[in-house]
Amino acid sequence: MSGDAVKTDLKKLAEALVEAARRAGADQADALAMQGRSISIDVRGGALEQAERAEGTEIGLRVLIGGRQACVSASDYSEATVAELAERGVAMAREAPVDDTLGLAEPHQLAEKRDAGGLQLLDDQPDPTPESLQEIALRAEAAAMAARGISQVEAASAAFSNRHMWLAASNGFSGGYGRSTHVISTVAITGEGLGMERDYAAESRSWAGNLPEPEEIGALAAERTLARAGSRKPPTGAFPILYDRRVASSLISHLLAAVNGGAVARGASWLRKEMGEAVLPAGMNLVEDPLRIRYPSSRPFDAEGLATRRREIVSGGILQGWTLDLATGRKLGMDSTASAARGLTSAPSPVNSNVILTPGTQTQEQMIADMGRGLIVTSMLGASINGTTGDYSRGAAGFWVENGQIAYPVNECTIAGNLREMLMTLVAGNDALPWRGIEAPSLLVEGMTVAGA
């Protein structure tokens, strides 16, 4: 079925859901209709390990009655199911608690643009075949295995998905678009038994033509894995920590969580009193741009039909605003930042799309030389983050630095600090990678606690 035909069908389905909800007694309603297909191929030992294919249409409906709301969904979209879903949603909403901040956008608030034309979110090439994806995965695996010292490739994968969505609401909004995703990943292993180490490389793009060659992915996975051979625990103490660009986005994600309107409205954010205050070093900006061409989370409008736009979350180190949907904005007496996202079974909530941190001027090598003695973090696991205080503790692995040079790989350590203090000491490198939802370079943090040997 062509993309235009899919959009027409989804449009009719979403609008039929809204109309059914109104007939069933809803004051307001909005509906999502989604159709997608995906293929995932895993290879191992030069042969096919697993193949998965999925295809289907799903619907989700939100109904609002007098400050009450309920969300219902189904994977069947017959007329009978649509009517039943609407009646069930209305019955559930009548039993829900009242929240006077709930409600759809006013018609004048709605985006004029109702598609993603110009953003190039949907690859214009034919879908890849399972055979072509298998070839890509095999090429990635072969490149990893070609590196001396790699004992096996745990997994090499290539995947594709194509998804179309349509959003309709009783306030008159009706719009939708399609999005494609192409992924290549490889996990390599070196050593055996207790001396075994593994690492990975993966890339994802909206358009296949923007992906690196699979040989680059496999070779990078092998390089990272071999660098981890002989890992041991680092010393314990207070040291500078360099977050490699692979994991630097996690620090920024904690900042984004703290300025999320949901957390602020609940009083559960360590930045809840910091509007207009310094939250990053002077001169550092944090910008959100949902309109970047071909980027993974770009979107022309949010899940409440409001037009997305570029905005500064932090400017010159100073916090400029919260990330808000309609409900959290009303709770805080502010306008929505057109940041709503929702699933088929969930109500809207604020999220960020395409965040860019101001890069610095130093290479990672220069940052390593300047730190003298400390830890480079390349991977993390587990997390203990106190959203109210900003207290931070995570398991980490990476490389120990002595005299401004990498001395040996490390694992099984814990790093700890307070996010409020950590973010104010950030020094950014110049090595941010494109195509990420959070585009952040390597980040140096002063004076964190390392618990190792």
Side-chain angles (χ1 to χ4, degrees):
M1 186 182 295
S2 70
D4 288 342
V6 169
K7 285 192 289 186
T8 298
D9 288 349
L10 293 179
K11 178 178 185 291
K12 291 178 179 178
L13 185 51
E15 292 176 352
L17 278 162
V18 171
E19 182 57 32
R22 295 302 299 271
R23 288 197 304 267
D27 296 337
Q28 297 178 316
D30 57 19
L32 273 177
M34 302 177 67
Q35 184 179 98
R37 57 184 182 274
S38 63
I39 306 171
S40 177
I41 300 292
D42 298 338
V43 301
R44 190 171 183 177
L48 177 66
E49 174 84 358
Q50 181 172 311
E52 293 184 0
R53 184 182 187 112
E55 188 167 350
T57 299
E58 296 179 292
I59 54 177
L61 175 66
R62 179 172 66 129
V63 299
L64 298 104
I65 302 174
R68 297 176 170 88
Q69 73 176 359
C71 297
V72 288
S73 66
S75 54
D76 174 25
Y77 49 94
S78 65
E79 288 186 16
T81 299
V82 168
E84 181 183 347
L85 202 64
E87 291 170 2
R88 188 191 317 153
V90 168
M92 291 170 59
R94 285 177 173 147
E95 301 300 321
V98 174
D99 182 344
D100 291 333
T101 65
L102 299 177
L104 303 185
E106 296 298 326
H108 72 271
Q109 295 177 289
L110 298 175
E112 293 183 7
K113 190 173 182 59
R114 305 292 171 92
D115 59 36
L119 292 182
Q120 299 182 26
L121 304 183
L122 188 64
D123 199 334
D124 65 357
Q125 297 301 304
D127 293 359
T129 64
E131 292 77 14
S132 65
L133 290 175
Q134 183 172 338
E135 179 189 358
I136 289 170
L138 288 170
R139 288 167 58 190
E141 181 189 46
M145 287 300 300
R148 185 176 179 181
I150 295 298
S151 55
Q152 61 178 296
V153 171
E154 184 177 279
S157 306
F160 160 80
S161 68
N162 182 310
R163 186 185 61 163
H164 286 79
M165 61 76 67
W166 199 275
L167 172 68
S170 57
N171 57 9
F173 185 85
S174 187
Y177 53 89
R179 186 190 302 277
S180 54
T181 306
H182 301 261
V183 182
I184 306 173
S185 65
T186 307
V187 181
I189 295 175
T190 187
E192 298 178 352
L194 295 177
M196 183 182 292
E197 293 288 345
R198 62 165 50 80
D199 211 326
Y200 74 96
E203 293 289 342
S204 174
R205 303 284 191 275
S206 293
W207 286 48
N210 294 129
L211 275 170
E213 294 296 323
E215 287 81 5
E216 293 180 48
I217 305 296
L220 181 57
E223 177 186 331
R224 289 172 171 173
T225 299
L226 293 171
R228 299 214 45 74
S231 293
R232 60 185 193 262
K233 291 184 178 181
T236 293
F239 303 101
I241 303 291
L242 179 60
Y243 285 77
D244 183 81
R245 64 186 181 180
R246 296 172 65 187
V247 296
S249 61
S250 69
L251 275 181
I252 305 306
S253 71
H254 295 312
L255 172 57
L256 294 174
V259 301
N260 185 284
V264 175
R266 295 192 306 272
S269 166
W270 48 276
L271 289 177
R272 62 192 179 277
K273 298 180 180 179
E274 303 300 317
M275 179 74 79
E277 301 295 328
V279 296
L280 289 174
M284 192 171 282
N285 301 330
L286 189 64
V287 175
E288 179 178 36
D289 186 1
L291 302 176
R292 302 186 84 181
I293 294 174
R294 297 193 187 186
Y295 264 65
S297 56
S298 291
R299 51 185 185 158
F301 51 82
D302 76 348
E304 294 176 309
L306 278 63
T308 58
R309 65 188 186 277
R310 187 182 187 275
R311 68 186 185 99
E312 290 188 341
I313 300 170
V314 178
S315 179
I318 306 300
L319 179 60
Q320 301 296 306
W322 314 124
T323 299
L324 304 168
D325 61 1
L326 286 169
T328 55
R330 290 165 184 151
K331 285 182 172 72
L332 296 170
M334 298 177 176
D335 292 332
S336 170
T337 54
S339 301
R342 61 166 291 193
L344 292 168
T345 60
S346 60
S349 60
V351 301
N352 293 102
S353 305
N354 301 335
V355 176
I356 308 104
L357 181 70
T358 303
T361 59
Q362 290 184 307
T363 65
Q364 190 184 83
E365 290 73 20
Q366 291 170 326
M367 298 173 77
I368 292 171
D370 288 347
M371 70 189 291
R373 187 173 194 237
L375 177 66
I376 304 170
V377 175
T378 58
S379 65
M380 292 183 288
L381 68 157
S384 176
I385 312 296
N386 188 315
T388 303
T389 65
D391 289 337
Y392 172 100
S393 178
R394 296 203 66 175
F399 300 91
W400 188 251
V401 173
E402 290 281 358
N403 300 316
Q405 294 185 331
I406 292 177
Y408 54 84
V410 302
N411 59 14
E412 297 182 10
C413 67
T414 301
I415 55 176
N418 181 273
L419 286 165
R420 186 77 177 86
E421 299 165 1
M422 291 161 57
L423 291 171
M424 287 301 298
T425 71
L426 287 186
V427 176
N430 66 356
D431 58 351
L433 291 168
W435 306 112
R436 271 59 181 174
I438 299 177
E439 194 170 295
S442 296
L443 296 173
L444 180 64
V445 180
E446 294 292 337
M448 291 182 66
T449 298
V450 178

